[in-house]
Amino acid sequence: MYAITIPEPGGPEALLWGEAPDPVPGEGEVLVEVAASAVNRADILQRQGFYDPPPGASPHPGLECSGRIAALGPGVSGWSVGDEVCALLAGGGYAEKVAVPAGQLLPRPQGLGLKQTAALPEVVCTVWSNIFMIAHLRPGETLLVHGGSSGIGTMAIQLAKAFGAKVAVTAGTKEKLERCAELGADILVNYREQDFVEEVRKATDGAGADVILDNMGAQYLDRNVQALAVNGRLAIIGMQGGVQAELNILNLLTKRAAINATSLRARPLGEKAAIVAAVREHVWPLIDAGHVRPIVDREIPMSDAAAAHRVVEESGHIGKVLLVAP
Ligand SMILES: NC(=O)c1ccc[n+]([C@@H]2O[C@H](COP(=O)([O-])OP(=O)(O)OC[C@H]3O[C@@H](n4cnc5c(N)ncnc54)[C@H](OP(=O)(O)O)[C@@H]3O)[C@@H](O)[C@H]2O)c1
């Protein structure tokens, strides 16, 4: 098969399209013939040499894909050759074929094209596991999503609205904030011009956000805690603003607040399968019904993954950038 390889870490030009051994599905795995994959921030870190695949994972980048099942490994039931699926991956999506644990497969939702479906698994599983399974966002509560126009952000807005929450977002341009509003965001904060702590307090009668989904890590830690409501929950999923920060614990104590941080890729197979099962039960019906949809910025041929990485690194996108297999 052909796949993207990274012989040496570096800039986007480090991504090379070339021949690679075909993956062989092991016990409990299926072989998927890939229709499309999508770019995630973590792929950029992997390309730069800062985020190696976990032990046993494919060396090729790509944390999600869509495609058709081409073969079943031993011990797989409930899926058939030819099924149209999308999959959460620990790697290997930037390739013509990938082996996937059956517990990480989801059926192609009704009404969506197979390629588009590649934009779903990583963002839906990350948003569902953090906002709903860990932070337990409830109807009527306020969610603050940093990077509202990102792949993650566009899904977080839609899901939180579908479950009856009020949504605040940060973004760096007026155009991106407008797109967030179209998706349902109620409170819009331009992080380049406004203070999100102040804006969220103003919009919630001083209460603050019940749940915050954070991509910035260290840079926003103290201000995120300031922006939380009493009994608030901060879910950290990214480190775009660094990894080391100081925190005034008093702010956390007085608010009886909680901080969680997770990485989906490194979670054990059983935990990923439980997240995927919960997503299939709670989120897939909303996608089937057209209430929640993948936001696709553009499609780029997989062989030109370098161009796709440039777009994402420059934040020139809204939603997801798809990589379409030949
Ligand atoms: N832990 C996990 O399991 C997990 C899984 C998936 C993703 N993630 C993380 O989730 C984040 C989003 O992922 P993605 O793939 O959706 O990324 P993406 O589409 O590339 O988006 C990155 C976002 O960061 C925003 N941003 C940059 N500087 C900011 C600032 N100072 N304040 C607020 N927002 C700022 C950008 O906003 P503008 O474009 O408006 O500047 C953009 O929306 C990344 O940090 C990624 O690593 C974590």
Side-chain angles (χ1 to χ4, degrees), residues 198-275:
E198 206 176 293
E199 296 303 320
V200 170
R201 280 194 191 143
K202 241 194 288 179
T204 55
D205 295 327
D210 300 291
V211 174
I212 300 178
L213 185 65
D214 174 69
N215 59 333
M216 296 304 293
Q219 189 186 332
Y220 278 2
L221 181 63
D222 188 58
R223 283 204 288 153
N224 274 335
V225 172
Q226 287 180 45
L228 279 179
V230 170
N231 291 316
R233 293 86 74 199
L234 167 61
I236 301 175
I237 60 165
M239 302 168 289
Q240 288 170 233
V243 293
Q244 282 204 322
E246 269 197 22
L247 177 66
N248 183 339
I249 301 291
L250 184 62
N251 291 336
L252 208 56
L253 290 184
T254 49
K255 287 185 174 170
R256 303 184 292 287
I259 302 178
N260 274 285
T262 61
S263 158
L264 184 56
R265 188 184 200 183
R267 291 176 81 153
L269 285 186
E271 287 184 26
K272 285 186 189 170
I275 292 167

Side-chain angles (χ1 to χ4, degrees), residues 41 150-152 172 176 191 215 220 237 240 262 264 315 317:
R41 281 267 146 184
S150 65
I152 291 283
K176 288 183 175 180
Y191 69 77
N215 59 333
Y220 278 2
I237 60 165
Q240 288 170 233
T262 61
L264 184 56
S315 251
H317 63 298

